[in-house]
Amino acid sequence: MLAERVSNPAHDGPDYVALGRLAFADDDFAATRDHWQSPVAACESPPHTHPKGYARDAAMHLTPAELDALRLSLSVAARSVLFSLPFAVAIAWLLTRGRFAGRWLLDAVVHLPLVLPPVAVGYVLLLVFGNNGPLGGWLRNNLGIQLAFTTAGAALATAVMAFPLMVRSIRLALENVDPGLEAAARTLGARPFDRFFTITLPLMMPGVIAGAVTAFAAGLGEFGAVITFVSNIPGITRTIPLALYTAIQSPGGDDQALRLAILSFVLGLIGLLLAELLARRTRHLLGR
């Protein structure tokens, strides 16, 4: 009946509703009908689908650029700790054992990076150690040392941001050292350096190790001060946080961002666990 109605010449005109029903009744147009009847589902379906386990496999394999960012992050963090650790020990001892005017001001300045925006710290470093800065210009003109936009500058920015963590940990350990032991050594004729290296330093070693490892782990994740002072240069200053930022800003960089985020979490967790483990081991060896 439907076909007769469609082809009936006596009809005033073609029955478009009947034509549509006839077309969609045919099996060849079933898929087309389903598609047009659910436009929302068609819009929501992704144009490309990944096979099962794609995200897991993508997160397990690091590209050469990501491995380079990992290598650079480890190098920058290690250099920052090696550079700042002696100063952290000296400042911690001065704040704990020293008695001088303005000690509270020195304490505030040392811990200032903990409360300042990292970008502000990086900007101050750029003003002071930049190529035209008072110290950066002198280092470049007289010693040929450039810090801005270099790996050494990234290590300096990381050291400044992690310095309060080391000082705080070492200071807490030093406060637990009995001053009477140092006084007894002094009565036996031990000089100040002898007392420090034979009594004080070994007893506060758990805090030194914990502070160094914690600062190393924190240095792996430093972003604001680094990108402000030394920019984001591949192979030179692009550490893991900067590479993660670049991946997030790049089209199609979701897989790379996922890998770098997982890597950051793993490295941070390992650093914190290692700091606690080494501190406990050192206290055990010291019989404490």
Side-chain angles (χ1 to χ4, degrees):
M1 294 297 296
L2 182 60
E4 293 177 358
R5 185 178 178 185
V6 172
S7 60
N8 187 2
H11 197 270
D12 294 338
D15 192 340
Y16 294 105
V17 176
L19 281 172
R21 290 177 179 175
L22 179 61
F24 280 95
D26 196 336
D27 293 337
D28 294 337
F29 293 94
T32 306
R33 177 189 60 193
D34 295 339
H35 175 77
W36 287 106
Q37 286 179 348
S38 55
V40 176
C43 294
E44 291 181 349
S45 60
H48 301 286
T49 57
H50 297 302
K52 185 178 181 180
Y54 174 82
R56 179 193 60 197
D57 295 337
M60 294 298 293
H61 299 87
L62 297 177
T63 64
E66 294 161 4
L67 290 174
D68 189 56
L70 173 61
R71 176 198 60 79
L72 189 62
S73 296
L74 295 174
S75 174
V76 167
R79 292 168 67 175
S80 67
V81 171
L82 292 176
F83 170 76
S84 58
L85 184 59
F87 297 99
V89 173
I91 293 296
W93 184 90
L94 193 61
L95 292 175
T96 306
R97 295 286 193 262
R99 296 293 183 269
F100 57 92
R103 186 175 59 142
W104 60 272
L105 181 59
L106 176 62
D107 189 12
V109 172
V110 168
H111 292 86
L112 199 57
L114 291 178
V115 297
L116 283 179
V119 175
V121 176
Y123 181 67
V124 171
L125 290 175
L126 187 61
L127 293 177
V128 176
F129 292 98
N131 295 334
N132 296 323
L135 293 181
W138 184 87
L139 290 174
R140 184 181 183 184
N141 297 329
N142 294 277
L143 302 178
I145 299 176
Q146 180 177 342
L147 294 176
F149 313 112
T150 63
T151 305
L156 175 62
T158 304
V160 171
M161 295 302 299
F163 189 75
L165 298 177
M166 282 193 293
V167 172
R168 196 170 189 84
S169 178
I170 297 172
R171 186 178 178 182
L172 291 176
L174 185 57
E175 288 175 350
N176 292 325
V177 176
D178 186 4
L181 298 175
E182 299 174 347
R186 183 173 61 251
T187 59
L188 295 175
R191 297 180 178 179
F193 281 100
D194 294 333
R195 297 196 301 268
F196 178 78
F197 285 104
T198 60
I199 297 177
T200 308
L201 184 60
L203 291 178
M204 69 178 189
M205 189 57 66
V208 174
I209 295 176
V213 178
T214 303
F216 178 83
L220 293 175
E222 181 53 44
F223 174 80
V226 173
I227 197 173
T228 306
F229 181 43
V230 297
S231 187
N232 185 7
I233 307 174
I236 300 178
T237 63
R238 182 172 291 177
T239 56
I240 291 178
L242 275 66
L244 176 59
Y245 172 78
T246 303
I248 294 174
Q249 298 297 319
S250 303
D254 293 340
D255 292 338
Q256 185 181 24
L258 175 62
R259 289 190 296 267
L260 293 172
I262 294 175
L263 184 61
S264 299
F265 277 106
V266 171
L267 291 175
L269 182 61
I270 291 176
L272 293 177
L273 294 177
L274 187 61
E276 181 64 22
L277 180 63
L278 290 176
R280 290 187 179 185
R281 179 64 177 171
T282 306
R283 286 195 295 266
H284 177 74
L285 292 176
L286 294 174
R288 300 175 62 186

